[in-house]
Amino acid sequence: MTNDVSPFRKRWIKPEILLMLMAASVPLSFATWQTLLNNFAIEQAAFTGAEMGILQSLREVPGFLAFAVVFVLLLLQEQTLAILALLLLGIGTALTGFFPSILGLYATTVIMSLGYHYFETVQTSLALQWIDKERTAEVLAKILAVGSMASIVIFALIWLAFDLAGLSYQWVYLLGGGLTVVVALACWKIFPHYPEKVRQHKKMLLRRRYWLYYLLTFMSGARRQIFIVFAGFLMVEKFGYDVSEIAILFFINAGINVVLAPRIGRLIGRIGERRSLLFEYVGLIIVFVSYAFVENATVAAGLYVIDHMFFALAIAIKTYFQKIADPADIAATAGVGFTINHIAAVIIPVIFGVLWLSSPALVFLAGAAMAAVSLVLALGIPLSPQPGRETIFGKQVVANAPAE
């Protein structure tokens, strides 16, 4: 009996598979929430760009507070916290459709976001601890591809629910959130708790030698909001895309991720973080400038797809950190990194939401400027980063600096 079970467990019951299953459960909720959001907010809660900016800022507050994960880890193991965060994500999503008002949508968004951001923080930490450096980019890309496959399933279900079954927003939100809860409970029941390879620091950490990682993370969070908040809103408000059309766009993006993400992961492993990020930022500058002046709905959709294709390259920021980090710093720095990533994300949606009312083009031109700043920062990454060679600047001072 044991011999029959053992090969199965050896192949499938392991940390890498757990990471993929948990990653697959996230888009079941988040893709549902994101796909329906603009239409639900405009049709059911009478949102304008200003309310949408406030909502998106509220959504990012739990990400801003991600540094607190190190204090939660005094009570819970990271793997346990990941499962609990997934449950919160699913519950928040399931409740969304039942509160079609400004305050109701704000409240359910915060619940959903708390689960989403704390899971993403812990997932990053677990992946960087459990996966060997040589395979990290490839495995992270596979995790992204698995999440995209789950997104394809949920986009297809959303299309079927609205176009064929005629289901309401309430039922679709309940379906997406409920599926996440089911997968999270399965992960809790099936997989054992894996021990830490290196005991993690359970306190906030800011290392001077990680300064470039912090800045790249900050700019990534600021720039990402332009896509998440305003590119999708542009498609609905300016070009009149309905729920089914938005779902099709997301479906295309997810399909491209399934095919390209593993290849991008291998590419990052082959050409390195510096070249990968430089390519990403040049491409984003072009895309954001194009957003500012697009007048054709089909061209705008093409830009939206191209924009999303660059997301997988952001894996290079995580692998850059893994190569320069003390292994014991990973959990604490993952939390601090998420907070840094969301400092601008809390502010930008509100400010740019007001700016949107007078000039949507300026919002996207600001995004191009952010990408340009990131491009300059990426030039500071060494071709072969490692502890003591975190940047091409001040190597001797950084390398000889005592640990903070």
Side-chain angles (χ1 to χ4, degrees):
M1 184 73 174
T2 305
N3 291 335
D4 291 338
V5 175
S6 181
F8 172 83
R9 294 190 63 85
K10 183 176 180 181
R11 181 174 181 180
W12 295 108
I13 309 302
K14 57 184 180 180
E16 187 174 317
I17 299 299
L18 175 59
L19 287 170
M20 290 183 181
L21 278 177
M22 291 193 298
S25 74
V26 172
L28 298 176
S29 281
F30 188 71
T32 300
W33 182 88
Q34 188 178 41
T35 304
L36 302 182
L37 175 64
N38 289 307
N39 296 86
F40 181 71
I42 292 172
E43 296 171 14
Q44 304 289 314
F47 270 41
T48 68
E51 287 83 23
M52 183 59 69
I54 293 171
L55 180 139
Q56 293 289 359
S57 287
L58 288 173
R59 183 177 69 83
E60 298 296 358
V61 168
F64 176 74
L65 298 176
F67 68 88
V69 74
V70 296
F71 304 118
V72 180
L73 292 178
L74 293 171
L75 304 174
L76 300 172
Q77 292 181 337
E78 284 185 85
Q79 188 175 335
T80 301
L81 178 56
I83 300 295
L84 293 177
L86 286 175
L87 292 173
L88 199 59
L89 167 63
I91 292 168
T93 302
L95 293 174
T96 299
F98 295 96
F99 296 92
S101 65
I102 292 175
L103 292 180
L105 193 48
Y106 287 168
T108 53
T109 293
V110 170
I111 294 171
M112 177 280 301
S113 181
L114 187 63
Y116 174 80
H117 283 99
Y118 269 55
F119 171 75
E120 289 294 311
T121 301
V122 177
Q123 181 201 41
T124 297
S125 172
L126 291 175
L128 297 183
Q129 292 177 61
W130 287 348
I131 303 170
D132 295 333
K133 292 180 182 180
E134 296 76 15
R135 300 183 62 244
T136 300
E138 182 179 353
V139 173
L140 288 177
K142 286 181 179 178
I143 290 172
L144 180 61
V146 168
S148 295
M149 290 178 68
S151 296
I152 289 174
V153 172
I154 206 66
F155 297 150
L157 289 176
I158 289 172
W159 178 79
L160 291 171
F162 277 93
D163 276 27
L164 298 184
L167 296 181
S168 65
Y169 284 106
Q170 288 88 346
W171 280 107
V172 179
Y173 276 120
L174 187 61
L175 173 65
L179 287 173
T180 295
V181 170
V182 169
V183 176
L185 292 175
C187 289
W188 174 270
K189 183 69 175 177
I190 295 171
F191 289 85
H193 280 265
Y194 297 104
E196 294 179 335
K197 289 184 177 180
V198 177
R199 185 171 179 83
Q200 297 295 298
H201 294 301
K202 300 297 193 297
K203 61 181 180 180
M204 286 187 60
L205 290 175
L206 281 172
R207 303 286 195 198
R208 184 173 59 188
R209 64 192 185 90
Y210 301 156
W211 70 268
L212 182 56
Y213 166 73
Y214 296 145
L215 286 179
L216 286 167
T217 300
F218 174 81
M219 293 307 303
S220 176
R223 189 184 62 255
R224 192 179 183 92
Q225 294 308 302
I226 306 300
F227 176 82
I228 291 177
V229 180
F230 297 105
F233 200 72
L234 178 77
M235 307 306 293
V236 175
E237 185 182 68
K238 183 173 182 178
F239 298 109
Y241 278 65
D242 61 22
V243 169
S244 298
E245 290 167 330
I246 292 295
I248 289 171
L249 277 179
F250 280 27
F251 185 91
I252 293 170
N253 285 342
I256 291 173
N257 262 353
V258 170
V259 176
L260 288 187
R263 291 172 172 81
I264 289 174
R266 290 192 291 270
L267 179 68
I268 294 171
R270 186 165 64 249
I271 69 174
E273 289 76 15
R274 176 188 170 104
R275 295 187 182 98
S276 299
L277 291 175
L278 291 177
F279 177 74
E280 178 190 3
Y281 299 144
V282 169
L284 287 175
I285 291 171
I286 296 171
V287 168
F288 284 143
V289 171
S290 300
Y291 272 137
F293 302 106
V294 66
E295 295 294 335
N296 181 279
T298 303
V299 174
L303 290 173
Y304 193 81
V305 171
I306 293 170
D307 194 350
H308 193 270
M309 288 171 60
F310 287 108
F311 272 52
L313 287 166
I315 290 171
I317 297 178
K318 296 179 181 180
T319 59
Y320 163 64
F321 170 67
Q322 186 190 37
K323 289 179 178 179
I324 66 172
D326 180 336
D329 291 349
I330 289 176
T333 305
V336 171
F338 245 72
T339 292
I340 291 172
N341 183 272
H342 287 79
I343 291 173
V346 171
I347 300 170
I348 282 177
V350 172
I351 296 175
F352 282 28
V354 175
L355 178 61
W356 180 273
L357 298 177
S358 59
S359 177
L362 286 179
V363 171
F364 293 114
L365 291 176
M370 294 174 192
V373 172
S374 298
L375 179 67
V376 173
L377 290 173
L379 291 170
I381 299 176
L383 292 177
S384 299
Q386 56 186 279
R389 290 190 59 197
E390 293 85 5
T391 77
I392 64 172
F393 310 114
K395 296 178 187 174
Q396 294 302 316
V397 175
V398 174
N400 296 328
E404 289 100 319

